[in-house]
Amino acid sequence: MTRTEIKDLKVLLQFTSVYCKVNHAELRLPLDSSDPELQPLPLQKYPVCAECREFLLYAFERRIKCPLEERPSCKHCHIHCYRPGHRDKVREIMRFSGRYLIRRGRLDLLWHYLF
């Protein structure tokens, strides 16, 4: 995986964790994946509920198995390999968490949120 892909997956992991913490009252546990592709990600740092865990594992799988030779960020992709419900979920998570974090002083994420 390239640095850009790792960065994209880390942002998705962080944003999903924030979304889960604010919107889900269920027990949150860190992701535990035996996939060697996910080793560069700080999975233990961002706990999520079972629903969000399932979503993240699906999103990670889609990103890692992207059929394009030069992988764009998913929001700029013309293929959109997510299932229809998952595309809406990604938008909801990114919109909510981006605004949430920016309001709390994480201006470094503004660049990712806008582009």
Side-chain angles (χ1 to χ4, degrees):
M1 274 198 307
T2 65
R3 286 180 50 190
T4 305
E5 292 170 333
I6 292 170
K7 181 183 168 211
D8 286 348
L9 292 177
K10 186 177 176 181
V11 167
L12 181 61
L13 176 62
Q14 179 184 14
F15 278 36
T16 304
S17 178
V18 167
Y19 176 85
C20 185
K21 181 169 59 172
V22 174
N23 293 301
H24 299 150
E26 302 157 21
L27 175 66
R28 292 186 317 276
L29 299 170
L31 233 66
D32 182 33
S33 177
S34 57
D35 190 346
E37 293 275 343
L38 300 179
Q39 293 305 319
L41 298 174
L43 299 176
Q44 300 298 320
K45 189 175 176 182
Y46 301 106
V48 291
C49 70
E51 177 187 340
C52 292
R53 184 177 302 111
E54 179 184 321
F55 165 75
L56 275 174
L57 291 175
Y58 174 78
F60 289 167
E61 177 187 347
R62 301 307 326 164
R63 178 67 178 169
I64 291 169
K65 294 181 181 179
C66 179
L68 300 176
E69 188 62 37
E70 188 174 321
R71 297 177 180 172
S73 63
C74 291
K75 71 179 176 182
H76 296 297
C77 187
H78 63 281
I79 293 179
H80 300 300
C81 57
Y82 284 114
R83 288 181 229 147
H86 280 79
R87 280 186 66 201
D88 295 335
K89 185 74 170 175
V90 168
R91 284 190 192 120
E92 179 183 344
I93 288 171
M94 297 305 263
R95 187 178 304 121
F96 174 84
S97 297
R99 290 177 184 161
Y100 182 89
L101 290 169
I102 288 170
R103 279 190 227 134
R104 280 154 183 81
R106 290 295 311 269
L107 297 178
D108 59 318
L109 297 173
L110 189 59
W111 183 259
H112 186 82
Y113 184 68
L114 295 175
F115 302 100

